[in-house]
Amino acid sequence: MPTTAPPALDLVDLLLPFGRARLAAVDAARTGAWLDASLLVAGCTQVVEDHLHRSEGLLDRVAVHLGDGDAGARHAVRAAVGLAATAVRTAHRARPPVAGLVPRRDALLELAIDCAAASATVEAGAGLEPPEASVLADRVERALGGSASWPAELEGRPLRLPSAFRSFDQHPADVRALAGLAAERWPDRQLAIVVVGIRTSGSYLGPIAVAELRRLGYRRAELITTRAGERLDGAQAEAAARGGAGRVLVVDDPPVSGATIQGCIGALAGAGVAPERVALLLALPDGWPVPSTLDALELISLPGAAWHLTQALDPDEVRRSATSLLEGRAEELVGDLVPVPDPVGRRPGGAPRTAREHGRAAFAAEVRDRAGATRSCTLLVQGCGIGLFGRHDADVAARLGDHVPDVLGVHDGLLHQLLHRPDDARSAPEPSDVARYVLDRHRALRVTTDHAAGMRGRKAAWEVAGMLVGGALGRADLALRSTLVHPIVQRLLHVAQPSVIDGRMSADRFLPAGGGRPPVKIDFAEGAFSNRDLWAYDPVADLAAIGDHLGRAPEVLDAWERAGGGTVEPSRWALLRMVAAWDRHRH
């Protein structure tokens, strides 16, 4: 944990632009908030890497689009487009202004590793000696501070969020445990080890793994990051070759199809790394099936039962963390915490909880206030992300007031909240309740920039709408989606007043508040910035989702307009309802 309070940073919108994030990294380092500093430096490094490699450019997106559907001629065209995309990336990297960023990229990677090491030292309770902390903070300042000159086109690009540390409940302790398992497997400290982080999560996981390997004595441990389909640049290829003589460890989120990892392994093979020198370093939920396409690779895994979060959700640990948070309010727990069923249920929104969602636990609790009065409630504890990613939930709750449960706070990546314990059966929320929630949220969480409007190839809501419309064009979709459909859809879905949406709008997530008050919204901060994409800053996207789930879309829309939300254009309503239905049924 940081030795001092982290710097003030508005975390309502987690898509921090590079220019803002780099200055926040300096502030975090100066105040000893090394966990935040390490996350922000890693995020800035990811932006620089993607710029260097021209990641996910237009031709790459076209290639992905061509991958939909049958093979044959489409497959041949896709292969040709893929080759063209590679040529464009290679030419881009050869431009002097871009090539000149390679040494700075490498310096940032080293800085991310050293900040991760500082964070681990603080977490262990040792603390950094003042001279050491000052030297490291100076390095962050020189690399990312106000006087550091980075290309102007990078300043507004938002950091990409690591699913591992935002949505999948991974903790730096898990990454360090994986590095320890690798050390047991290959105990020779003279071994050259190259950790390959698959962007985006690998940009954040990789520095922690290398920092721990170096702490364990592997002085030749180093880091590169890549995306599937990219060709390594010269510096990366040289590092990969060094690892090819020793060991290459690939780190990423739990794989689904394995295609992303395979694509990165292909890039390593192109640099001369033999497959038998490659191992996967993965924290896997219990029972997670590793795709058979990866069977040939050695696997170092950390089972879910050994994860930091699993231990933190133990009732005794929850009691300790909740007690600490309640002390700040002059309140205390009375008696034991008794596990109870999740108040939302096992199938939120009609879809089962999966191993790639936040872990959570609910307990019946008695809380005594400073006047000695005791109330019965449900204590719900759930993962929300580490460091600044988790504080986002607390910042959002502070702005939403009575619309959300009584939030105690965030402790080590876990959100603690107190809920009314209902005595009777729940009923679905009324259209007026959900419309008022969406409208008040929109007013409380307004932002200046709709970052989703500039996203490409990331399943933003507007892009999914374009996919659904384009799919209705049959064979013409291939030619018209990017050139005609997308511009029209973007114009129809333009947001004049963007705000941070909920993104988890289902009826079962509205719970009784008691005392005749409107229901409170649970899972109020995990949906807008999550691994499920559907990026949007339009409150109408939330309206469409809850209207679809309730089966009362016209009533929800009418309640919104009567509450003062304004008129919703029929085209916007139709498109966002299509997106909501697609999202609901894909799960």
Side-chain angles (χ1 to χ4, degrees):
M1 305 301 292
T3 55
T4 61
L9 180 63
D10 185 357
L11 295 170
V12 165
D13 188 350
L14 275 180
L15 295 184
L16 300 173
F18 177 84
R20 184 177 167 209
R22 63 186 183 89
L23 299 181
V26 175
D27 289 342
R30 289 295 182 200
T31 56
W34 289 110
L35 176 56
D36 279 0
S38 66
L39 295 173
L40 289 163
V41 172
C44 289
T45 304
Q46 169 264 309
V47 172
V48 173
E49 286 274 36
D50 280 353
H51 175 68
L52 274 173
H53 292 275
R54 200 183 182 93
S55 298
E56 299 175 337
L58 174 61
L59 290 176
D60 298 283
R61 298 195 300 273
V62 171
V64 171
H65 173 42
L66 290 169
D68 300 333
D70 53 13
R74 177 185 282 250
H75 180 76
V77 173
R78 182 179 187 275
V81 172
L83 289 174
T86 299
V88 168
R89 282 197 298 269
T90 302
H92 170 75
R93 289 199 312 233
R95 293 170 50 216
V98 177
L101 291 177
V102 170
R104 299 182 69 184
R105 181 274 314 272
D106 294 342
L108 273 184
L109 288 172
E110 283 298 311
L111 187 59
I113 293 167
D114 291 343
C115 286
S119 176
T121 299
V122 171
E123 186 181 320
L128 292 184
E129 293 296 326
E132 181 183 1
S134 180
V135 168
L136 184 53
D138 286 345
R139 287 176 55 201
V140 177
E141 170 81 48
R142 288 193 299 272
L144 295 171
S147 61
S149 177
W150 289 96
E153 58 192 297
L154 293 186
E155 293 294 273
R157 290 187 187 175
L159 271 58
R160 294 182 65 150
L161 307 180
S163 294
F165 289 152
R166 170 60 190 158
S167 299
F168 296 162
D169 289 332
Q170 289 297 278
H171 190 278
D174 300 333
V175 186
R176 293 193 288 269
L178 281 167
L181 292 174
E184 293 176 6
R185 174 66 181 83
W186 299 287
D188 179 8
R189 266 43 178 183
Q190 301 306 311
L191 187 70
I193 297 181
V194 173
V195 173
V196 178
I198 298 181
R199 298 198 298 276
T200 292
S201 282
S203 294
Y204 296 79
L205 299 167
I208 300 170
V210 173
E212 180 65 6
L213 287 168
R214 289 180 181 176
R215 188 190 71 80
L216 293 173
Y218 293 88
R219 299 303 174 194
R220 300 174 66 194
E222 53 188 312
L223 171 68
I224 63 174
T225 77
T226 187
R227 289 194 188 279
E230 286 183 358
R231 183 175 296 172
L232 302 183
D233 60 40
Q236 291 175 322
E238 291 174 4
R242 290 190 289 272
R247 188 64 52 177
V248 173
L249 304 180
V250 176
V251 61
D252 194 19
D253 296 324
V256 179
S257 69
T260 297
I261 291 178
Q262 281 185 303
C264 293
I265 298 298
L268 293 170
V273 178
E276 59 269 20
R277 292 290 181 176
V278 179
L280 304 180
L281 210 61
L282 303 173
L284 298 176
D286 290 337
W288 187 268
V290 177
S292 59
T293 53
L294 304 178
D295 284 347
L297 300 173
E298 188 162 3
L299 173 65
I300 303 294
S301 66
L302 185 73
W307 290 9
H308 179 87
L309 180 97
T310 304
Q311 314 304 319
L313 286 176
D314 176 83
D316 290 338
E317 290 297 323
V318 169
R319 183 177 183 82
R320 278 190 279 272
S321 58
T323 296
S324 175
L325 293 169
L326 284 166
E327 283 177 351
R329 306 180 356 162
E331 296 180 322
E332 62 180 348
L333 290 172
V334 179
D336 296 330
L337 293 177
V338 180
V340 296
D342 190 312
V344 174
R346 298 183 61 185
R347 296 175 59 84
R353 295 199 183 279
T354 72
R356 287 169 71 97
E357 296 181 19
H358 286 305
R360 51 202 280 163
F363 306 89
E366 302 290 324
V367 176
R368 184 161 54 212
D369 64 22
R370 68 183 69 196
T374 301
R375 70 186 189 277
S376 299
C377 54
T378 298
L379 172 63
L380 181 64
V381 184
Q382 66 186 81
C384 60
I386 64 167
L388 61 95
F389 302 131
R391 293 204 310 281
H392 162 78
D393 290 47
D395 281 11
V396 169
R399 295 202 187 186
L400 295 182
D402 292 341
H403 280 297
V404 299
D406 181 8
V407 171
L408 300 182
V410 174
H411 180 87
D412 201 19
L414 288 173
L415 177 72
H416 296 61
Q417 49 198 325
L418 298 177
L419 303 167
H420 170 70
R421 194 185 303 169
D423 299 321
D424 49 9
R426 288 167 50 190
S427 58
E430 290 298 316
S432 58
D433 293 329
V434 299
R436 174 55 64 184
Y437 167 72
V438 174
L439 181 57
D440 287 352
R441 181 188 181 98
H442 172 58
R443 290 169 173 168
L445 302 181
R446 283 183 177 169
V447 295
T448 58
T449 304
D450 176 4
H451 295 295
M455 290 183 177
R456 299 291 188 277
R458 295 178 58 186
K459 290 189 175 70
W462 71 264
E463 201 167 28
V464 171
M467 175 189 73
L468 297 172
V469 172
L473 300 178
R475 294 184 179 276
D477 179 30
L478 184 63
L480 298 180
R481 188 189 301 185
S482 296
T483 58
L484 180 63
V485 174
H486 278 174
I488 293 175
V489 167
Q490 281 191 293
R491 186 167 67 250
L492 293 174
L493 295 183
H494 169 73
V495 184
Q497 293 182 327
S499 62
V500 174
I501 68 169
D502 182 294
R504 290 289 185 272
M505 293 293 289
S506 60
D508 45 3
R509 288 183 167 99
F510 285 85
L511 303 181
R517 294 171 296 167
V520 294
K521 176 62 173 60
I522 203 92
D523 295 339
F524 52 84
E526 70 157 6
F529 307 106
S530 80
N531 60 301
R532 293 189 180 182
D533 302 323
L534 278 192
W535 306 94
Y537 285 78
D538 187 348
V540 180
D542 279 344
L543 281 182
I546 190 63
D548 175 70
H549 194 255
L550 287 172
R552 303 173 69 179
E555 296 171 76
V556 168
L557 181 59
D558 181 62
W560 163 269
E561 294 179 348
R562 284 190 288 106
T567 302
V568 177
E569 301 89 344
S571 55
R572 177 187 301 275
W573 186 238
L575 286 172
L576 291 176
R577 286 194 65 194
M578 288 167 57
V579 172
W582 175 85
D583 181 50
R584 184 180 175 195
H585 293 292
R586 70 169 168 157
H587 297 301

